[in-house]
Protein backbone atom coordinates (compact mmCIF):
# COMPACT_ATOMS: atom_id res chain seq x y z
CA UNK A 1 0.00 0.00 0.00
CA UNK A 2 1.41 3.35 -1.00
CA UNK A 3 0.02 4.87 2.20
CA UNK A 4 2.62 2.94 4.21
CA UNK A 5 5.71 3.46 2.03
CA UNK A 6 7.11 6.25 4.22
CA UNK A 7 6.66 4.06 7.28
CA UNK A 8 8.44 1.19 5.57
CA UNK A 9 11.34 3.52 4.73
CA UNK A 10 11.51 4.80 8.32
CA UNK A 11 11.59 1.23 9.65
CA UNK A 12 13.85 -0.02 6.87
CA UNK A 13 11.41 -2.90 6.48
CA UNK A 14 9.05 -3.85 3.63
CA UNK A 15 5.81 -5.43 4.75
CA UNK A 16 4.91 -8.57 2.86
CA UNK A 17 1.28 -8.75 3.98
CA UNK A 18 -0.72 -5.58 3.35
CA UNK A 19 -3.57 -6.90 5.47
CA UNK A 20 -1.28 -7.34 8.48
CA UNK A 21 0.15 -3.81 8.43
CA UNK A 22 -3.33 -2.43 7.73
CA UNK A 23 -4.61 -4.23 10.82
CA UNK A 24 -1.66 -2.93 12.87
CA UNK A 25 -2.52 0.64 11.93
CA UNK A 26 -6.30 0.37 12.33
CA UNK A 27 -7.67 1.93 15.50
CA UNK A 28 -10.90 0.45 16.89
CA UNK A 29 -12.69 3.75 16.16
CA UNK A 30 -12.29 3.05 12.43
CA UNK A 31 -15.16 0.54 12.70
CA UNK A 32 -13.78 -2.38 10.76
CA UNK A 33 -14.09 -6.08 11.57
CA UNK A 34 -10.48 -5.88 12.77
CA UNK A 35 -8.31 -3.46 14.75
CA UNK A 36 -4.81 -3.29 16.15
CA UNK A 37 -5.52 -4.39 19.74
CA UNK A 38 -4.40 -8.02 19.36
CA UNK A 39 -1.22 -7.02 17.52
CA UNK A 40 -0.63 -4.38 20.21
CA UNK A 41 -0.80 -7.11 22.86
CA UNK A 42 1.75 -9.21 20.97
CA UNK A 43 4.03 -6.27 20.20
CA UNK A 44 4.10 -5.23 23.85
CA UNK A 45 5.31 -8.69 24.88
CA UNK A 46 7.88 -8.80 22.07
CA UNK A 47 9.25 -5.35 22.97
CA UNK A 48 9.45 -6.33 26.63
CA UNK A 49 11.55 -9.37 25.66
CA UNK A 50 13.78 -7.49 23.22
CA UNK A 51 14.52 -4.65 25.63
CA UNK A 52 14.96 -7.05 28.54
CA UNK A 53 17.47 -9.18 26.64
CA UNK A 54 19.31 -6.11 25.36
CA UNK A 55 19.69 -4.67 28.86
CA UNK A 56 20.66 -8.06 30.30
CA UNK A 57 23.51 -8.34 27.79
CA UNK A 58 24.47 -4.65 27.80
CA UNK A 59 24.78 -4.42 31.60
CA UNK A 60 26.06 -7.83 32.73
CA UNK A 61 26.90 -6.71 36.25
CA UNK A 62 23.71 -4.82 37.09
CA UNK A 63 21.07 -6.25 39.40
CA UNK A 64 17.49 -7.09 38.50
CA UNK A 65 16.09 -4.00 40.21
CA UNK A 66 18.11 -1.55 38.15
CA UNK A 67 17.52 -3.49 34.93
CA UNK A 68 13.78 -3.42 35.61
CA UNK A 69 13.86 0.34 36.20
CA UNK A 70 15.76 0.95 32.96
CA UNK A 71 13.38 -1.30 31.02
CA UNK A 72 10.36 0.46 32.52
CA UNK A 73 11.80 3.81 31.43
CA UNK A 74 12.01 2.54 27.84
CA UNK A 75 8.99 0.25 27.53
CA UNK A 76 6.10 2.61 28.25
CA UNK A 77 3.52 4.78 26.53
CA UNK A 78 5.62 7.94 26.61
CA UNK A 79 8.66 6.26 25.09
CA UNK A 80 6.72 4.41 22.41
CA UNK A 81 4.72 7.52 21.52
CA UNK A 82 8.01 9.37 20.98
CA UNK A 83 9.32 6.58 18.76
CA UNK A 84 6.03 6.60 16.85
CA UNK A 85 6.35 10.37 16.30
CA UNK A 86 9.97 9.91 15.16
CA UNK A 87 8.79 7.63 12.34
CA UNK A 88 5.62 9.67 11.61
CA UNK A 89 3.39 6.75 12.52
CA UNK A 90 0.46 9.08 13.17
CA UNK A 91 0.26 9.87 9.46
CA UNK A 92 -0.50 6.20 8.76
CA UNK A 93 -3.19 5.59 11.38
CA UNK A 94 -6.62 4.55 10.21
CA UNK A 95 -8.98 6.34 12.59
CA UNK A 96 -12.57 7.54 12.59
CA UNK A 97 -13.50 11.09 11.59
CA UNK A 98 -14.40 11.77 15.25
CA UNK A 99 -10.98 10.58 16.40
CA UNK A 100 -9.42 12.68 13.63
CA UNK A 101 -11.27 15.75 14.96
CA UNK A 102 -9.97 14.96 18.46
CA UNK A 103 -6.38 15.01 17.17
CA UNK A 104 -6.12 11.23 17.43
CA UNK A 105 -3.05 11.12 15.21
CA UNK A 106 -1.10 12.93 17.94
CA UNK A 107 -2.51 11.17 21.04
CA UNK A 108 0.27 9.37 22.93
CA UNK A 109 -1.97 6.39 23.72
CA UNK A 110 -2.95 5.84 20.08
CA UNK A 111 0.62 6.31 18.86
CA UNK A 112 2.07 3.99 21.50
CA UNK A 113 -0.52 1.30 20.84
CA UNK A 114 0.00 1.49 17.09
CA UNK A 115 3.78 1.31 17.55
CA UNK A 116 3.39 -1.88 19.58
CA UNK A 117 1.01 -3.28 16.95
CA UNK A 118 3.48 -2.56 14.15
CA UNK A 119 6.19 -4.35 16.11
CA UNK A 120 3.79 -7.27 16.57
CA UNK A 121 3.12 -7.34 12.83
CA UNK A 122 6.83 -7.34 12.00
CA UNK A 123 7.37 -10.16 14.49
CA UNK A 124 4.63 -12.29 12.87
CA UNK A 125 6.03 -11.68 9.38
CA UNK A 126 9.76 -11.77 9.92
CA UNK A 127 10.47 -13.36 13.29
CA UNK A 128 12.29 -12.27 16.38
CA UNK A 129 15.73 -11.42 14.97
CA UNK A 130 14.44 -8.97 12.34
CA UNK A 131 12.08 -7.42 14.88
CA UNK A 132 14.93 -7.12 17.37
CA UNK A 133 17.20 -5.43 14.80
CA UNK A 134 14.50 -2.87 13.96
CA UNK A 135 13.48 -2.21 17.59
CA UNK A 136 17.04 -1.82 18.90
CA UNK A 137 17.87 0.59 16.08
CA UNK A 138 14.78 2.68 16.89
CA UNK A 139 15.43 2.67 20.63
Amino acid sequence: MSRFKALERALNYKFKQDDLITEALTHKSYKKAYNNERLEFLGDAVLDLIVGEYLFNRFPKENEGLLSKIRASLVNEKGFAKLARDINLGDCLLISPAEENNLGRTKPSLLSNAFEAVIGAIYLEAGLQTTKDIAIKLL
Side-chain angles (χ1 to χ4, degrees), residues 42-107:
L42 180 61
D44 179 59
V46 169
L47 284 162
D48 216 29
L49 172 63
I50 289 170
V51 173
E53 180 189 32
Y54 175 80
L55 294 173
F56 181 85
N57 291 326
R58 179 83 167 81
F59 303 105
K61 299 209 184 311
E62 293 302 337
N63 64 42
E64 177 270 341
L66 181 61
L67 293 175
S68 291
K69 285 180 184 174
I70 296 170
R71 182 178 57 196
S73 74
L74 295 170
V75 179
N76 60 52
E77 180 180 292
K78 183 178 177 184
F80 291 160
K82 181 191 180 316
L83 293 174
R85 281 190 293 275
D86 289 348
I87 60 173
N88 297 313
L89 191 59
D91 295 346
C92 301
L93 290 178
L94 301 172
I95 57 177
S96 69
E99 196 61 63
E100 187 83 60
N101 291 337
N102 288 324
L103 304 177
R105 293 184 188 284
T106 63
K107 284 184 181 174

Side-chain angles (χ1 to χ4, degrees), residues 1-15 18 21 25 83-93 115 118 122 134 137-138:
M1 264 190 176
S2 61
R3 170 178 207 146
F4 306 134
K5 293 295 181 206
L7 176 61
E8 289 178 331
R9 279 192 303 276
L11 294 169
N12 195 27
Y13 179 78
K14 170 97 173 85
F15 288 95
D18 281 345
I21 185 56
L25 294 168
L83 293 174
R85 281 190 293 275
D86 289 348
I87 60 173
N88 297 313
L89 191 59
D91 295 346
C92 301
L93 290 178
F115 180 79
V118 167
I122 294 169
I134 291 168
K137 184 179 174 199
L138 290 173

